[in-house]
Each structure stands twice: as C-alpha cells, then as structure tokens.
C-alpha cells in the first residue's frame, strides 16, 4: 500500500463494494446542505461513457457545530442519492453516496470533504492496482457537457506525462433559474477570472491557470505523491492545484465544458458565490479588477446590467 494511504488519510476506506477491474476514473463531489444533488448526478449519468469504468463519489458532510436543519437536509439528500444510485448504477458507471456527519468544526468544510472523497478514490484505485487512475473534482451544483467523461479519458491518454489539469468551464449567462442581475454578476466575475489569467500569461508568468474546484482532475499517483488535498475551508482548489502547476506537466482540457452554478453562497469567505452576492449588494453592478499596468492602482470595469445571451 502507498505510504500516503498509510499515513496521510483521515479515515479508512468507507465503500465496501469492490471496484471494477477496469476502473479508470473517479469523480468526487462534496455536498453540504444541498437539495438538488440529483440534478448534478443526472448530468453525469447522461454523459457518453468512456472505455474505462467510472465511479462517482458524493461526500455528504456536516460539522459537529452545524444546525439541526443543516443535518436534516444532508441526511435527506444522502438518503435520496442512495435510492437514486441503486436504481441508476450500471457496470460502467456507478454512484456511491457517503455521509460523514459531525466532522470536527475546526476542519469541516469543502477542503476536508474533497480530501475525504479523493482519498477514498485512491483506496479504490489501489484495490485494482491502477496507479494512473484519474481523480476528478466536481461540485454538487454543477453540470457538464455530454462528452465530459470521454474528453477526460482522452485528455490523459493523449498526454501521458500530465499529472493534473484544469478543465474549461462556463457559467450560465442567461436563463430562467436566476434573476437577470445574477447572470450579469456572474458574467462580470467570470470576465475578471479570465482577464486575470490572460494578463498573467501576457507578462510571461509560467503558472497561469484557472484553479476551480469543480473543474480539475489529477492522476491518483501524483495526488498521493504531492500530499493529497488540503483541509482549507475556502481556496482549497487554488492551493491544491498550485502544487501541480509548478511541476511542468500541468495541462488544460478545453474539449469539454463544466457548467458551475452562478448562485449566491455564504458558505465560504471568498469565491464565486461570495463574489456574486457582494456584487448584488452594490447600487450599480461594477467590478474592480487588477490594473493591467500592475501599478498597484485598480481600474473599474463596468458592463451592461442586463444578462448576456
């Protein structure tokens, strides 16, 4: 057994069902106080299947200090996901909901949930001797294009030396699920994310990549080699992926698309959900970003306050 699994994991393997002998990919989805996880699972279920078998681990989680209402939502969502998985599982694509309740309040959060799921994934790959298995980060409110699974498998096959990659993402910019102001706010924030990376590349910074938790993948062997996922309550994706961008074998997958939600969220102190909420609190939708001159001044970028369709 790999020394990481002996010394760096926090829990023993939870899933008792044996993995398929050709298991090649495991998608890890942290789920906290989520009521529509099935919608996300259905998006993955509709994907074209790759050659290797795929598993999806949904890590429902809460802390010892969470309100009873949160725990109730988690328990009900977990039970619903288990029932759905029993009806939908097939040989090449299986879903495994697991529920970790009452985690230590000091560490409970998205980083710990991702670590639990990705560590479990490593245990699964270890059982079938798959050192090159792909661990994929996803979110419980995200969707994906139908070629998501085959694109992931193909990317790592075409790039045998890549240890990890970021996956192309696009937030929805119009629709009926959210108010128009939400779509405008997420357009502003996504433009900021893309502008920031492109500006870094323009000046020659070699490690300029998007670091989005719902849009990343890593080989299990490299995951363990680099010490696994951290337990940060926010920014866990940024710090995790930057352990790989400096290895000179990081890559980008642009042949498929992850569709993260633009919803407001107060679960973390920064990030997409927090940024959208902050923008909506301002009298006029306006977002500050970094000055291209890197002079220390900030410039204002203002876009139309109507959805972009």
């Amino acid at each position: 057994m790999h020394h990481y699994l002996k010394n760096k994991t926090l829990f023993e393997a939870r899933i008792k069902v044996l993995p398929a002998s050709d298991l090649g990919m495991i998608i890890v989805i942290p789920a906290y106080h989520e009521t529509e996880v099935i919608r996300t699972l259905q998006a993955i279920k509709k994907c074209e299947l790759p050659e290797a078998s795929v598993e999806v681990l949904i890590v429902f989680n809460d802390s010892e200090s969470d309100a009873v209402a949160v725990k109730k939502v988690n328990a009900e969502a977990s039970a619903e996901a288990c029932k759905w998985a029993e009806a939908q599982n097939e040989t090449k694509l299986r879903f495994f909901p697991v529920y970790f309740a009452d985690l230590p309040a000091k560490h409970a959060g998205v980083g710990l949930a991702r670590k639990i799921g990705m560590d479990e994934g490593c245990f699964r790959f270890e059982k079938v001797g798959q050192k090159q298995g792909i661990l994929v980060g996803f979110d419980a409110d995200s969707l994906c294009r139908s070629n998501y699974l085959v694109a992931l498998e193909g990317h790592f096959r075409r790039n045998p030396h890549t240890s990890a990659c970021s996956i192309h993402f696009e937030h929805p910019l119009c629709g009926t699920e959210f108010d128009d102001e939400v779509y405008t706010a997420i357009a502003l924030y996504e433009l900021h994310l893309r502008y920031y990376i492109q500006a870094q590349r323009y000046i020659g910074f070699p490690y300029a990549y998007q670091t989005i938790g719902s849009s990343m993948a890593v080989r299990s062997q490299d995951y363990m080699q680099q010490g696994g996922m951290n337990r940060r309550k926010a920014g866990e994706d940024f710090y995790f992926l930057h352990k790989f961008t400096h290895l000179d074998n990081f890559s980008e997958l642009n042949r498929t698309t992850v569709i993260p939600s633009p919803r407001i969220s107060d679960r973390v102190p920064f990030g997409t959900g927090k940024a959208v909420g902050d923008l909506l609190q301002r009298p006029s939708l306006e977002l500050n970003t970094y000055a291209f001159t890197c002079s220390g001044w900030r410039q204002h970028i203002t876009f139309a306050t109507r959805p972009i369709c």
Side-chain angles (χ1 to χ4, degrees):
M1 181 180 290
H2 195 281
H3 66 85
Y4 175 88
L5 297 177
K6 292 180 179 179
N7 304 312
K8 299 296 184 179
T9 58
L10 303 175
F11 299 92
E12 295 182 354
R14 175 71 64 95
I15 300 171
K16 303 305 179 184
V17 178
L18 291 176
S21 59
D22 67 337
L23 180 63
M25 185 187 312
I26 297 178
I27 301 172
V28 176
I29 305 176
Y32 170 84
H33 202 204
E34 297 284 355
T35 58
E36 298 186 12
V37 177
I38 301 303
R39 182 187 179 201
T40 293
L41 303 185
Q42 288 173 335
I44 298 174
K45 175 69 176 178
K46 293 177 182 177
C47 287
E48 178 184 352
L49 293 178
E51 293 182 15
S53 292
V54 179
E55 292 184 354
V56 182
L57 310 185
I58 310 98
V59 184
F60 293 91
N61 65 100
D62 52 53
S63 83
E64 57 193 0
S65 63
D66 275 323
V68 173
V70 171
K71 297 177 184 293
K72 183 174 183 293
V73 168
N74 280 348
E76 292 176 351
S78 176
E80 181 185 15
C82 286
K83 183 177 180 180
W84 184 90
E86 289 177 3
Q88 299 296 326
N89 279 352
E90 55 184 279
T91 303
K92 300 291 288 185
L93 176 60
R94 295 192 289 180
F95 297 80
F96 294 102
V98 291
Y99 185 12
F100 286 78
D102 299 321
L103 293 169
K106 180 179 179 181
H107 300 296
V110 64
L112 178 55
R114 290 197 199 278
K115 175 176 173 56
I116 289 172
M118 297 178 91
D119 287 356
E120 181 81 21
C122 289
F123 278 119
R124 306 285 292 167
F125 284 131
E126 185 82 6
K127 287 182 179 179
V128 293
Q130 177 54 276
K131 297 181 179 180
Q132 299 298 314
I134 305 167
L135 292 169
V136 186
F138 207 67
D139 278 350
D141 60 350
S142 293
L143 304 175
C144 59
R145 301 298 183 201
S146 60
N147 71 335
Y148 179 66
L149 300 179
V150 294
L152 272 164
E153 182 180 72
H155 180 78
F156 280 89
R157 283 186 176 177
R158 288 189 304 273
N159 301 278
H161 299 297
T162 195
S163 59
C165 73
S166 62
I167 305 167
H168 179 69
F169 66 91
E170 294 179 10
H171 292 91
L173 301 181
C174 61
T176 58
E177 186 176 359
F178 301 95
D179 293 337
D180 289 349
E181 290 77 12
V182 172
Y183 291 111
T184 300
I186 196 59
L188 291 169
Y189 186 67
E190 186 170 319
L191 284 171
H192 160 71
L193 293 177
R194 299 194 186 285
Y195 159 79
Y196 180 50
I197 296 302
Q198 292 302 325
Q200 287 182 321
R201 291 176 177 175
Y202 182 81
I203 64 173
F205 183 62
Y207 312 121
Y209 296 100
Q210 298 288 353
T211 54
I212 307 296
S214 63
S215 309
M216 63 182 187
V218 59
R219 293 190 193 274
S220 58
Q221 184 175 23
D222 295 291
Y223 171 86
M224 294 187 289
Q225 186 78 20
Q226 294 302 315
M229 174 59 70
N230 58 76
R231 297 183 293 181
R232 292 177 180 270
K233 297 176 182 287
E236 82 295 339
D237 43 11
F238 175 87
Y239 289 99
F240 174 70
L241 285 181
H242 274 278
K243 294 195 292 187
F244 298 93
T245 57
H246 291 68
L247 299 180
D248 295 328
N249 52 7
F250 191 83
S251 60
E252 291 183 310
L253 169 53
N254 294 312
R255 297 190 180 190
T256 189
T257 304
V258 173
I259 309 169
S261 173
R263 69 182 183 181
I264 300 170
S265 176
D266 58 359
R267 305 171 190 215
V268 292
F270 55 87
T272 302
K274 177 68 162 56
V276 171
D278 289 345
L279 275 169
L280 295 179
Q281 296 299 314
R282 299 176 183 176
S284 61
L285 288 177
E286 185 177 86
L287 176 67
N288 292 333
T289 190
Y290 305 103
F292 188 73
T293 58
C294 299
S295 63
W297 294 94
R298 293 197 298 178
Q299 62 188 26
H300 295 283
I301 296 180
T302 306
F303 296 90
T305 56
R306 58 185 177 83
I308 304 171
C309 298

PDB file of all heavy atoms in Angstrom, residues 261-278:
ATOM      1  N   SER A 261     -22.567  26.596 -11.135  1.00  0.00           N
ATOM      2  CA  SER A 261     -23.735  27.425 -10.834  1.00  0.00           C
ATOM      3  C   SER A 261     -23.308  28.852 -10.499  1.00  0.00           C
ATOM      4  O   SER A 261     -22.273  29.071  -9.873  1.00  0.00           O
ATOM      5  CB  SER A 261     -24.494  26.848  -9.639  1.00  0.00           C
ATOM      6  OG  SER A 261     -25.532  27.714  -9.231  1.00  0.00           O
ATOM      7  N   PRO A 262     -24.120  29.848 -10.887  1.00  0.00           N
ATOM      8  CA  PRO A 262     -23.833  31.237 -10.526  1.00  0.00           C
ATOM      9  C   PRO A 262     -24.510  31.663  -9.233  1.00  0.00           C
ATOM     10  O   PRO A 262     -24.551  32.846  -8.914  1.00  0.00           O
ATOM     11  CB  PRO A 262     -24.427  32.013 -11.712  1.00  0.00           C
ATOM     12  CG  PRO A 262     -25.631  31.214 -12.084  1.00  0.00           C
ATOM     13  CD  PRO A 262     -25.238  29.766 -11.858  1.00  0.00           C
ATOM     14  N   ARG A 263     -25.014  30.723  -8.470  1.00  0.00           N
ATOM     15  CA  ARG A 263     -25.822  31.056  -7.301  1.00  0.00           C
ATOM     16  C   ARG A 263     -25.011  31.782  -6.225  1.00  0.00           C
ATOM     17  O   ARG A 263     -23.789  31.631  -6.132  1.00  0.00           O
ATOM     18  CB  ARG A 263     -26.424  29.790  -6.691  1.00  0.00           C
ATOM     19  CG  ARG A 263     -25.391  28.883  -6.032  1.00  0.00           C
ATOM     20  CD  ARG A 263     -26.029  27.624  -5.475  1.00  0.00           C
ATOM     21  NE  ARG A 263     -25.039  26.797  -4.774  1.00  0.00           N
ATOM     22  CZ  ARG A 263     -25.301  25.630  -4.207  1.00  0.00           C
ATOM     23  NH1 ARG A 263     -26.512  25.132  -4.279  1.00  0.00           N
ATOM     24  NH2 ARG A 263     -24.355  24.953  -3.578  1.00  0.00           N
ATOM     25  N   ILE A 264     -25.708  32.546  -5.417  1.00  0.00           N
ATOM     26  CA  ILE A 264     -25.097  33.217  -4.268  1.00  0.00           C
ATOM     27  C   ILE A 264     -24.819  32.169  -3.193  1.00  0.00           C
ATOM     28  O   ILE A 264     -25.594  31.234  -2.991  1.00  0.00           O
ATOM     29  CB  ILE A 264     -26.043  34.298  -3.715  1.00  0.00           C
ATOM     30  CG1 ILE A 264     -26.341  35.335  -4.800  1.00  0.00           C
ATOM     31  CG2 ILE A 264     -25.451  34.957  -2.489  1.00  0.00           C
ATOM     32  CD1 ILE A 264     -27.439  36.299  -4.408  1.00  0.00           C
ATOM     33  N   SER A 265     -23.704  32.326  -2.500  1.00  0.00           N
ATOM     34  CA  SER A 265     -23.374  31.395  -1.427  1.00  0.00           C
ATOM     35  C   SER A 265     -22.647  32.127  -0.301  1.00  0.00           C
ATOM     36  O   SER A 265     -21.805  32.984  -0.553  1.00  0.00           O
ATOM     37  CB  SER A 265     -22.491  30.255  -1.956  1.00  0.00           C
ATOM     38  OG  SER A 265     -22.083  29.405  -0.906  1.00  0.00           O
ATOM     39  N   ASP A 266     -23.004  31.768   0.930  1.00  0.00           N
ATOM     40  CA  ASP A 266     -22.317  32.338   2.092  1.00  0.00           C
ATOM     41  C   ASP A 266     -21.532  31.261   2.837  1.00  0.00           C
ATOM     42  O   ASP A 266     -21.172  31.420   3.997  1.00  0.00           O
ATOM     43  CB  ASP A 266     -23.326  32.995   3.037  1.00  0.00           C
ATOM     44  CG  ASP A 266     -24.396  32.024   3.535  1.00  0.00           C
ATOM     45  OD1 ASP A 266     -24.357  30.834   3.128  1.00  0.00           O
ATOM     46  OD2 ASP A 266     -25.261  32.449   4.317  1.00  0.00           O
ATOM     47  N   ARG A 267     -21.232  30.163   2.164  1.00  0.00           N
ATOM     48  CA  ARG A 267     -20.558  29.046   2.813  1.00  0.00           C
ATOM     49  C   ARG A 267     -19.076  29.277   3.014  1.00  0.00           C
ATOM     50  O   ARG A 267     -18.457  28.672   3.873  1.00  0.00           O
ATOM     51  CB  ARG A 267     -20.759  27.768   1.977  1.00  0.00           C
ATOM     52  CG  ARG A 267     -22.226  27.464   1.721  1.00  0.00           C
ATOM     53  CD  ARG A 267     -22.378  26.343   0.716  1.00  0.00           C
ATOM     54  NE  ARG A 267     -23.771  26.237   0.315  1.00  0.00           N
ATOM     55  CZ  ARG A 267     -24.388  25.107   0.033  1.00  0.00           C
ATOM     56  NH1 ARG A 267     -23.722  23.979   0.091  1.00  0.00           N
ATOM     57  NH2 ARG A 267     -25.648  25.097  -0.326  1.00  0.00           N
ATOM     58  N   VAL A 268     -18.495  30.111   2.140  1.00  0.00           N
ATOM     59  CA  VAL A 268     -17.063  30.373   2.228  1.00  0.00           C
ATOM     60  C   VAL A 268     -16.819  31.874   2.233  1.00  0.00           C
ATOM     61  O   VAL A 268     -17.643  32.653   1.750  1.00  0.00           O
ATOM     62  CB  VAL A 268     -16.308  29.721   1.042  1.00  0.00           C
ATOM     63  CG1 VAL A 268     -16.365  28.196   1.150  1.00  0.00           C
ATOM     64  CG2 VAL A 268     -16.892  30.163  -0.279  1.00  0.00           C
ATOM     65  N   PRO A 269     -15.684  32.338   2.776  1.00  0.00           N
ATOM     66  CA  PRO A 269     -15.416  33.780   2.876  1.00  0.00           C
ATOM     67  C   PRO A 269     -15.050  34.442   1.570  1.00  0.00           C
ATOM     68  O   PRO A 269     -15.030  35.666   1.484  1.00  0.00           O
ATOM     69  CB  PRO A 269     -14.255  33.844   3.878  1.00  0.00           C
ATOM     70  CG  PRO A 269     -13.577  32.512   3.763  1.00  0.00           C
ATOM     71  CD  PRO A 269     -14.680  31.534   3.500  1.00  0.00           C
ATOM     72  N   PHE A 270     -14.738  33.661   0.540  1.00  0.00           N
ATOM     73  CA  PHE A 270     -14.462  34.233  -0.774  1.00  0.00           C
ATOM     74  C   PHE A 270     -14.741  33.177  -1.826  1.00  0.00           C
ATOM     75  O   PHE A 270     -15.000  32.018  -1.523  1.00  0.00           O
ATOM     76  CB  PHE A 270     -13.018  34.747  -0.877  1.00  0.00           C
ATOM     77  CG  PHE A 270     -11.966  33.715  -0.542  1.00  0.00           C
ATOM     78  CD1 PHE A 270     -11.472  32.862  -1.518  1.00  0.00           C
ATOM     79  CD2 PHE A 270     -11.459  33.610   0.741  1.00  0.00           C
ATOM     80  CE1 PHE A 270     -10.502  31.917  -1.224  1.00  0.00           C
ATOM     81  CE2 PHE A 270     -10.480  32.672   1.054  1.00  0.00           C
ATOM     82  CZ  PHE A 270     -10.009  31.816   0.071  1.00  0.00           C
ATOM     83  N   GLY A 271     -14.696  33.580  -3.088  1.00  0.00           N
ATOM     84  CA  GLY A 271     -15.004  32.655  -4.162  1.00  0.00           C
ATOM     85  C   GLY A 271     -16.194  33.137  -4.966  1.00  0.00           C
ATOM     86  O   GLY A 271     -16.709  34.242  -4.776  1.00  0.00           O
ATOM     87  N   THR A 272     -16.670  32.284  -5.874  1.00  0.00           N
ATOM     88  CA  THR A 272     -17.707  32.677  -6.823  1.00  0.00           C
ATOM     89  C   THR A 272     -18.995  33.107  -6.138  1.00  0.00           C
ATOM     90  O   THR A 272     -19.526  34.194  -6.391  1.00  0.00           O
ATOM     91  CB  THR A 272     -17.995  31.518  -7.787  1.00  0.00           C
ATOM     92  OG1 THR A 272     -16.791  31.155  -8.468  1.00  0.00           O
ATOM     93  CG2 THR A 272     -19.048  31.924  -8.803  1.00  0.00           C
ATOM     94  N   GLY A 273     -19.542  32.255  -5.275  1.00  0.00           N
ATOM     95  CA  GLY A 273     -20.807  32.566  -4.625  1.00  0.00           C
ATOM     96  C   GLY A 273     -20.749  33.836  -3.800  1.00  0.00           C
ATOM     97  O   GLY A 273     -21.702  34.637  -3.794  1.00  0.00           O
ATOM     98  N   LYS A 274     -19.648  34.033  -3.108  1.00  0.00           N
ATOM     99  CA  LYS A 274     -19.471  35.244  -2.299  1.00  0.00           C
ATOM    100  C   LYS A 274     -19.351  36.466  -3.203  1.00  0.00           C
ATOM    101  O   LYS A 274     -19.931  37.526  -2.918  1.00  0.00           O
ATOM    102  CB  LYS A 274     -18.216  35.097  -1.445  1.00  0.00           C
ATOM    103  CG  LYS A 274     -17.856  36.301  -0.590  1.00  0.00           C
ATOM    104  CD  LYS A 274     -18.877  36.525   0.522  1.00  0.00           C
ATOM    105  CE  LYS A 274     -18.328  37.413   1.637  1.00  0.00           C
ATOM    106  NZ  LYS A 274     -17.841  38.716   1.168  1.00  0.00           N
ATOM    107  N   ALA A 275     -18.613  36.347  -4.302  1.00  0.00           N
ATOM    108  CA  ALA A 275     -18.421  37.473  -5.217  1.00  0.00           C
ATOM    109  C   ALA A 275     -19.740  37.907  -5.841  1.00  0.00           C
ATOM    110  O   ALA A 275     -20.027  39.101  -5.957  1.00  0.00           O
ATOM    111  CB  ALA A 275     -17.419  37.096  -6.309  1.00  0.00           C
ATOM    112  N   VAL A 276     -20.557  36.940  -6.243  1.00  0.00           N
ATOM    113  CA  VAL A 276     -21.858  37.270  -6.827  1.00  0.00           C
ATOM    114  C   VAL A 276     -22.730  37.982  -5.804  1.00  0.00           C
ATOM    115  O   VAL A 276     -23.371  38.996  -6.105  1.00  0.00           O
ATOM    116  CB  VAL A 276     -22.560  35.995  -7.344  1.00  0.00           C
ATOM    117  CG1 VAL A 276     -24.009  36.298  -7.742  1.00  0.00           C
ATOM    118  CG2 VAL A 276     -21.808  35.416  -8.529  1.00  0.00           C
ATOM    119  N   GLY A 277     -22.736  37.490  -4.587  1.00  0.00           N
ATOM    120  CA  GLY A 277     -23.525  38.134  -3.527  1.00  0.00           C
ATOM    121  C   GLY A 277     -23.067  39.553  -3.250  1.00  0.00           C
ATOM    122  O   GLY A 277     -23.885  40.461  -3.079  1.00  0.00           O
ATOM    123  N   ASP A 278     -21.764  39.760  -3.218  1.00  0.00           N
ATOM    124  CA  ASP A 278     -21.227  41.102  -2.967  1.00  0.00           C
ATOM    125  C   ASP A 278     -21.594  42.065  -4.088  1.00  0.00           C
ATOM    126  O   ASP A 278     -21.936  43.232  -3.841  1.00  0.00           O
ATOM    127  CB  ASP A 278     -19.700  41.045  -2.814  1.00  0.00           C
ATOM    128  CG  ASP A 278     -19.274  40.380  -1.513  1.00  0.00           C
ATOM    129  OD1 ASP A 278     -20.130  40.218  -0.619  1.00  0.00           O
ATOM    130  OD2 ASP A 278     -18.084  40.028  -1.397  1.00  0.00           O
TER     131      ASP A 278
END
